[in-house]
Amino acid sequence: MNFFQRALPKKTLPLLAIAATTLTTAGCSNSELLSSEQKAQAIDEIKVASQQTIEELVEKKPDIANELERARGYMVAEVSSTKVPLVGKAKGTGAIYDNATNSITYVDLEREDIGVGLGHSEYKIVSVFEDEESIEVFRRGVSSAKVTGDWKFTEGNLSSFDVKTKGKTVPTYTLNKNGGKASLAASFVDINKNEELTDTGITNTLTPMKDKAKDKVSPPKHWDRALPFFGQRVIELGHDLPRPIGISFIYASTSQNMELYDLSVRNKEGEYVPIEFVPFEDNTNESYTPQIKLDAWVFPFMNVFGSVGKVSGDANVNFSLNGDDLLSQLGIECDTARGQDRRRCDRWEGNNTDTYNVNVSMEGVSYTLGTVLAAGWSNYFVSVPISFTKMTMDNRSIDGNVIAISPRVGKVFPFQNGTSLAVYAGASYMDNEVHITGHQKVPGSDEGIDYQISQRTDDLWEPLIGANYNFDQKWSAFVEWTGTNEGRKQFTGGINRRF
């Protein structure tokens, strides 16, 4: 029998049969981080083992050479499996060769057995993919479970069978290498692409990168994701791309000096009238924003993103009013004033200035849409994030908009274990506009002033520095500092998961 069932020539067998045979002793586990030398060695071992397997199979079945040449592709692997009385395990990697694109995909397999049996066996396998759909089934990954029987004791025995999965039939050949095993067990198999060995064009950074030595890619890469558009064309030119979809948790703390303008107060008719020649000083805005961001690379060098966050903080407003100017702007004639207007005249007439310090709490939600234009070459990169943020506050007395542009340049430092560190510097443009509506009591009286005023960032441009650490192709973390002691200051940090 084959790995799971009796090897009857040209009989249909379940997916589990071919899944188990993607094991090879030349591979490595997905959980291991390989150095570049270890990765090259593992790939060379798989290549040598594949060549030997094909030669042995052709020797026993000469017409297989024509079958492999006509096929869309094929998988070659060695399998090693051990079974003790109640449990069994098989683990390794296999290689899928695409004749149409000349690309190579390495796949990991883990199999767990629960049932009776005993023994250890090793054998070689060749699976033939007749069309693109068949090869894509195994490149994308498969999970399966089935109760199966397995016994194999004859060394050098050649067997053949068909595997049917997702409507596709895959002819498969096995050559027993050594050992013997018999079992009846429930088997659970997972096939997944080994992205550490397979060069699919995915980079370990968050920026598209091009190696200066990769003007022509050999062997060809196979981009198997829908995004970004034109991804396959770009990786064929030597560019490596980040995983296209990302989700991030980000925390931002901002403190900035604000320019005040457009102060107006409500007159006796209930209309807001502008107050001119009002001095402003020491006006600041502080905010704290945890947020969730979703992003996608829709084109190879263009990322789009959206985020939603919780805004909290304070807007501090200091301004002075000249009493006579205020009465004039409100249209109050003190010579004939009566009632409330008379009280305002008594309070303001002849009063040169009153200074007001207003602190408005901000609690609300921010919504951001933006894009990042980015590209890298030989571990150096340039990126330009551009975003627009709309803030809506719970108390409806304050709302605002933020436009941000942050060009930066940096360098990636790759490490042997597959991690990398990107450091960068640049400049941050932020135009933060806040509109405040409020009521200020007049000291020493029961009256108050209804006012409207606008704030805008005083320091539009500030320098920035930052760093991003990539744990692998999926996880990364970053920190960024913007500003100087006298101007706008912002700290941003977060983690990112890519898919």
Side-chain angles (χ1 to χ4, degrees), residues 52-364:
Q52 293 176 346
T53 298
I54 294 297
E55 291 173 0
E56 293 177 17
L57 183 60
V58 170
E59 183 179 349
K60 290 183 174 291
K61 185 178 173 58
D63 58 343
I64 190 65
N66 292 330
E67 185 177 354
L68 293 177
E69 185 177 353
R70 293 192 306 267
R72 168 59 190 257
Y74 55 92
M75 179 179 66
V76 184
E78 292 186 359
V79 126
S80 178
S81 176
T82 300
K83 183 74 173 69
V84 293
L86 295 180
V87 296
K89 188 173 182 64
K91 190 174 182 180
T93 58
I96 296 174
Y97 300 89
D98 190 326
N99 288 336
T101 64
N102 292 322
S103 63
I104 303 173
T105 303
Y106 300 95
V107 288
D108 284 323
L109 179 138
E110 291 190 3
R111 191 194 69 190
E112 305 287 345
D113 296 333
I114 301 176
V116 296
L118 185 67
H120 174 82
S121 65
E122 297 179 0
Y123 60 93
K124 303 178 180 182
I125 182 171
V126 176
S127 298
V128 183
F129 304 107
E130 297 176 345
D131 51 39
E132 182 179 3
E133 290 78 8
S134 298
I135 201 170
E136 280 298 318
V137 167
F138 291 89
R139 276 203 288 231
R140 293 179 181 275
V142 178
S143 295
S144 183
K146 191 175 180 64
V147 176
T148 58
D150 180 21
W151 58 90
K152 185 179 289 292
F153 293 95
T154 305
E155 184 173 346
N157 179 60
L158 171 64
S159 58
S160 62
F161 52 92
D162 284 345
V163 174
K164 281 192 174 181
T165 175
K166 297 183 179 181
K168 308 305 297 183
T169 300
V170 179
T172 299
Y173 305 90
T174 61
L175 281 169
N176 191 33
K177 186 176 179 182
N178 57 58
K181 181 166 74 73
S183 70
L184 178 64
S187 299
F188 306 89
V189 175
D190 289 305
I191 304 174
N192 295 291
K193 181 186 300 180
N194 186 313
E195 294 180 345
E196 189 172 10
L197 294 181
T198 305
D199 190 355
T200 59
I202 297 177
T203 177
N204 278 25
T205 70
L206 297 183
T207 304
M209 300 294 294
K210 187 179 191 301
D211 192 317
K212 63 182 180 181
K214 290 185 178 180
D215 292 330
K216 185 177 181 180
V217 179
S218 181
K221 306 175 187 178
H222 174 71
W223 187 258
D224 60 354
R225 289 164 166 80
L227 292 177
F229 299 118
F230 311 111
Q232 179 64 41
R233 184 179 303 178
V234 168
I235 66 170
E236 288 174 357
L237 297 176
H239 297 268
D240 289 333
L241 305 177
R243 288 172 174 260
I245 307 297
I247 181 170
S248 305
F249 173 77
I250 300 172
Y251 177 83
S253 172
T254 306
S255 175
Q256 53 191 324
N257 300 319
M258 304 295 289
E259 172 191 351
L260 296 183
Y261 64 101
D262 288 349
L263 173 65
S264 61
V265 297
R266 193 193 297 269
N267 64 15
K268 59 184 179 181
E269 283 80 25
E271 299 176 348
Y272 282 95
V273 295
I275 301 297
E276 301 176 355
F277 310 110
V278 177
F280 303 105
E281 58 182 15
D282 299 329
N283 300 286
T284 60
N285 183 309
E286 294 185 1
S287 62
Y288 309 92
T289 311
Q291 55 192 301
I292 297 292
K293 184 181 84 170
L294 296 175
D295 74 271
W297 289 93
V298 294
F299 295 106
F301 309 108
M302 179 181 177
N303 180 283
V304 297
F305 62 87
S307 70
V308 58
K310 178 68 175 178
V311 180
S312 61
D314 298 284
N316 185 258
V317 179
N318 293 304
F319 60 91
S320 300
L321 289 177
N322 180 281
D324 292 332
D325 290 340
L326 176 62
L327 293 172
S328 175
Q329 292 287 333
L330 293 176
I332 298 175
E333 297 289 341
C334 289
D335 292 341
T336 59
R338 296 291 186 270
Q340 185 183 49
D341 287 352
R342 180 70 262 169
R343 291 190 296 272
R344 289 179 173 176
C345 286
D346 293 341
R347 172 68 180 84
W348 291 101
E349 189 176 22
N351 187 345
N352 289 330
T353 58
D354 260 6
T355 300
Y356 294 90
N357 188 320
V358 181
N359 193 69
V360 182
S361 295
M362 297 188 301
E363 295 288 342

Side-chain angles (χ1 to χ4, degrees), residues 203-207 209 378-381 409-425 465-473 475-480 494:
T203 177
N204 278 25
T205 70
L206 297 183
T207 304
M209 300 294 294
S378 189
N379 289 332
Y380 291 91
F381 66 90
V409 296
K411 182 176 182 178
V412 177
F413 297 90
F415 303 118
Q416 287 292 326
N417 60 359
T419 65
S420 64
L421 175 67
V423 295
Y424 56 88
I465 57 173
N468 187 94
Y469 186 80
N470 297 280
F471 299 96
D472 51 32
Q473 295 174 351
W475 288 98
S476 64
F478 80 96
V479 293
E480 184 175 295

